[in-house]
C-alpha cells in the first residue's frame, strides 16, 4: 500500500466511522459553530478543558468527506493533550495542509493523512474548518478564565 492509499484510507475510515461525533449540549462544554460557504460545510464543536488538559471534544456537522473526516481526526488527536500542545498541533496542521511538514510529525497522528490537501487549494478550508472551530473554542475558554 503506498502512502497516498494509506492516507485515503484514514480519511475514508474517519468519514464512515467518525470518532467523538454527536453533541451533548450541556453547560459543561464550550460550543462553537463555523461554516465554510465555499463548499457548504457546516461544523459544530464542543470542548471541555479541565486543569489545562483537553478532556473532551465532540463535533457534529454536515459537509464533504474532507471536512467531516478531519473533525473526527482533530477530536481524536487533540483529546488528552495539554492546551499548549493542542494549540501547537493546530498550528502544525495549518502548516501541513499548506505543504509545510512540521518538525514533530508524530504528534499530528492520523492528521498527517491530510498532507495531500496542499495539492487541492479549494479543499484547505474543508480540512481546517473543525480545527478553526476548536481553536476558537480554546481561545474563548481561555479568555473567559475558566
Ligand atoms: Zn468541504
Amino acid at each position: 500500500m503506498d502512502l497516498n492509499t494509506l492516507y485515503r484510507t484514514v480519511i475514508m475510515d474517519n468519514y464512515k466511522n467518525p470518532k467523538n461525533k454527536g453533541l451533548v449540549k450541556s453547560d459543561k462544554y464550550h460550543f462553537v459553530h463555523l461554516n465554510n460557504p465555499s463548499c457548504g460545510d457546516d461544523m459544530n464543536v464542543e470542548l471541555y478543558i479541565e486543569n489545562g488538559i483537553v478532556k473532551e471534544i465532540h463535533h457534529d456537522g454536515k459537509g464533504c468527506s474532507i471536512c467531516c473526516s478531519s473533525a473526527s481526526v482533530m477530536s481524536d488527536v487533540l483529546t488528552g493533550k495539554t492546551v499548549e500542545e493542542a494549540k501547537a498541533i493546530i498550528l502544525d496542521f495549518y502548516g501541513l495542509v499548506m505543504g509545510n511538514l512540521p518538525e514533530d510529525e508524530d504528534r499530528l497522528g492520523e492528521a498527517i493523512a491530510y498532507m495531500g490537501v496542499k495539492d487541492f487549494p479549494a479543499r484547505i478550508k474543508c480540512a481546517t474548518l473543525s480545527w478553526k472551530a476548536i481553536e476558537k473554542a480554546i481561545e474563548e475558554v481561555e479568555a473567559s478564565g475558566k
Side-chain angles (χ1 to χ4, degrees):
M1 196 190 282
D2 67 21
L3 258 190
N4 280 330
T5 308
L6 177 69
Y7 290 166
R8 216 172 298 131
T9 304
V10 167
I11 291 169
M12 286 319 291
D13 281 352
N14 279 279
Y15 182 56
K16 288 181 187 153
N17 301 302
K19 302 173 188 107
N20 307 304
K21 188 174 163 87
L23 302 180
V24 177
K25 294 185 179 169
S26 88
D27 291 344
K28 178 177 164 185
Y29 301 98
H30 188 80
F31 173 83
V32 167
H33 167 249
L34 284 184
N35 66 348
N36 168 22
S38 64
C39 179
D41 299 322
D42 194 272
M43 184 56 59
N44 301 300
V45 297
E46 287 179 342
L47 169 69
Y48 175 57
I49 293 173
E50 190 181 62
N51 300 326
I53 308 282
V54 176
K55 287 291 219 185
E56 290 177 56
I57 294 174
H58 307 134
H59 60 93
D60 198 14
K62 290 193 287 277
C64 64
S65 57
I66 297 287
C67 173
C68 294
S69 64
S70 182
S72 168
V73 170
M74 175 280 292
S75 67
D76 197 43
V77 168
L78 298 185
T79 300
K81 300 290 193 295
T82 67
V83 171
E84 291 314 308
E85 265 179 309
K87 288 198 279 191
I89 294 169
I90 291 168
L91 293 181
D92 281 353
F93 186 75
Y94 295 160
L96 179 80
V97 295
M98 302 294 288
N100 302 312
L101 272 183
E103 261 174 57
D104 185 348
E105 289 179 38
D106 289 343
R107 69 182 181 184
L108 271 172
E110 286 195 324
I112 198 86
Y114 294 82
M115 196 160 77
V117 171
K118 69 176 191 301
D119 298 323
F120 305 92
R123 313 311 294 278
I124 291 173
K125 278 187 184 164
C126 303
T128 56
L129 185 64
S130 63
W131 297 75
K132 298 265 183 205
I134 211 70
E135 182 183 37
K136 184 165 187 269
I138 291 172
E139 282 169 5
E140 289 176 358
V141 169
E142 288 193 317
S144 76
K146 264 191 241 170

